[in-house]
Amino acid sequence: MIIAANFKTNHTRKSTREFVSRVDEYAKKIGSSVEARIYPVATALDNFEIDEHIKVGAQNFYPTCTGSFTGEIGFEQLQEFGVDSVLVGHSERRHVLKEGSELIVEKFNFAKEKGVEILYCVGEPKEVREAGIDAVMTYVWEQFSGIDLEYERLVVAYEPVWAIGTGLTASYEDIKEVLEKLRAKIRKPLLYGGSVKLDNVSEILDIENCDGVLVGTASWKTETFIEMIKTAQNKGD
Ligand code: PEP
């Protein structure tokens, strides 16, 4: 199972280091086999010496190694910190930062060429959800166009846009239905994301075809994130 923390624009270098070190300490102490992912802000990336089941990845990058892209971060800079996992297609990049599908596919292909793990996010806005499951799936499959579903290191996160950072979670039935439809074509780990909290993570992890969660807001507190890892670990025992 994968339990991933997206820090978005939160935490500093110092608090990220403390967070990573506490998660690492916990994972080592219990011999956790849960795959933990932590995506801090780029300025907090570092060469962390951590358990093999934990990766500190990048929330974003520009599809280049180096070059003239003022303000962007390329792969040479990520590789300096041994980054081996990246987020691509997160809804805040698509909808808030207006990243188009062409750039998203370019980023995916670049990361794929570099051989890193790609946590690829898809999900529908509220009006699409209100139009029903067929509309949701048409929208979501469209977000996969140009994306190699056979990429060995692909992880997919289904994150309804209206559930991200809003406190609203999709119903267990809705999550189950979408994951089942994704599973028909995708043989890679499938995560759910969208207001996952300590009080719903266990039920979400129990949903058929759910291989983990991508957590924003609730993951920013170390204790909560560790509790989520513990919940996932207990399911594996
Ligand atoms: C996310 O950032 O991917 C996310 C799911 O955020 P939140 O848990 O805050 O909804």
Side-chain angles (χ1 to χ4, degrees), residues 6 8 90 92 159 163-166 193-196 214-218 220:
N6 176 13
K8 311 190 192 211
H90 190 277
E92 282 152 14
E159 301 204 299
I164 298 179
T166 58
S195 298
V196 175
L214 173 55
V215 192
T217 318
W220 304 339

Side-chain angles (χ1 to χ4, degrees), residues 2 6 9 34 37 49 52 59 69 76 78 82 90 94 97 107 122 126 167 190 203 211 224 237:
I2 301 174
N6 176 13
T9 320
V34 171
R37 300 288 178 268
E49 281 178 26
E52 55 173 340
Q59 290 178 26
F69 303 97
E76 186 175 282
L78 295 187
H90 190 277
R94 291 181 193 265
L97 296 151
K107 285 181 170 188
V122 295
K126 195 161 182 275
L190 300 177
E203 284 79 3
D211 303 306
T224 310
D237 288 345

Side-chain angles (χ1 to χ4, degrees), residues 3-218:
I3 305 291
N6 176 13
F7 280 10
K8 311 190 192 211
T9 320
N10 299 282
H11 278 294
T12 59
R13 273 184 79 70
K14 185 169 181 279
S15 65
T16 299
R17 178 159 281 285
E18 283 162 9
F19 185 103
V20 171
S21 129
R22 284 186 56 200
V23 172
D24 180 53
E25 222 170 78
Y26 174 78
K28 284 190 175 119
K29 192 173 86 192
I30 66 154
S32 174
S33 58
V34 171
E35 291 294 321
R37 300 288 178 268
I38 301 164
Y39 300 94
V41 293
T43 53
L45 289 171
D46 215 331
N47 286 302
F48 298 101
E49 281 178 26
I50 42 181
D51 188 87
E52 55 173 340
H53 296 295
I54 306 172
K55 284 187 197 299
V56 177
Q59 290 178 26
N60 189 34
F61 59 94
Y62 196 72
T64 187
C65 277
T66 58
S68 300
F69 303 97
T70 303
E72 295 291 338
I73 293 177
F75 253 70
E76 186 175 282
Q77 291 82 44
L78 295 187
Q79 279 164 340
E80 188 180 6
F81 300 120
V83 166
D84 186 40
S85 181
V86 294
L87 293 182
V88 175
H90 190 277
S91 88
E92 282 152 14
R93 296 218 57 88
R94 291 181 193 265
H95 300 281
V96 182
L97 296 151
K98 311 289 178 217
E99 203 166 279
S101 50
E102 214 175 294
L103 179 58
I104 291 171
V105 169
E106 224 184 293
K107 285 181 170 188
F108 183 95
N109 287 334
F110 194 87
K112 174 184 154 187
E113 199 186 292
K114 294 293 165 202
V116 299
E117 177 182 75
I118 303 174
L119 211 157
Y120 185 68
C121 308
V122 295
E124 81 287 355
K126 195 161 182 275
E127 63 277 14
V128 175
R129 166 51 69 185
E130 285 167 353
I133 184 67
D134 291 346
V136 170
M137 293 318 296
T138 303
Y139 188 94
V140 166
W141 286 126
E142 183 59 34
Q143 291 180 317
F144 282 110
S145 77
I147 300 299
D148 178 6
L149 297 180
E150 299 301 322
Y151 177 51
E152 212 187 315
R153 302 196 66 201
L154 168 68
V155 176
V156 168
Y158 167 58
E159 301 204 299
V161 179
W162 50 272
I164 298 179
T166 58
L168 300 171
T169 316
S171 72
Y172 301 128
E173 293 71 30
D174 286 347
I175 300 172
K176 181 174 183 283
E177 189 173 32
V178 173
L179 294 185
E180 192 177 296
K181 290 182 186 302
L182 292 178
R183 176 60 76 220
K185 293 191 196 166
I186 303 174
R187 288 181 295 270
K188 309 296 172 185
L190 300 177
L191 314 188
Y192 168 77
S195 298
V196 175
K197 307 174 200 85
L198 207 45
D199 62 9
N200 62 17
V201 69
S202 177
E203 284 79 3
I204 291 171
L205 292 175
D206 281 342
I207 295 172
E208 218 180 322
N209 294 309
C210 182
D211 303 306
V213 285
L214 173 55
V215 192
T217 318

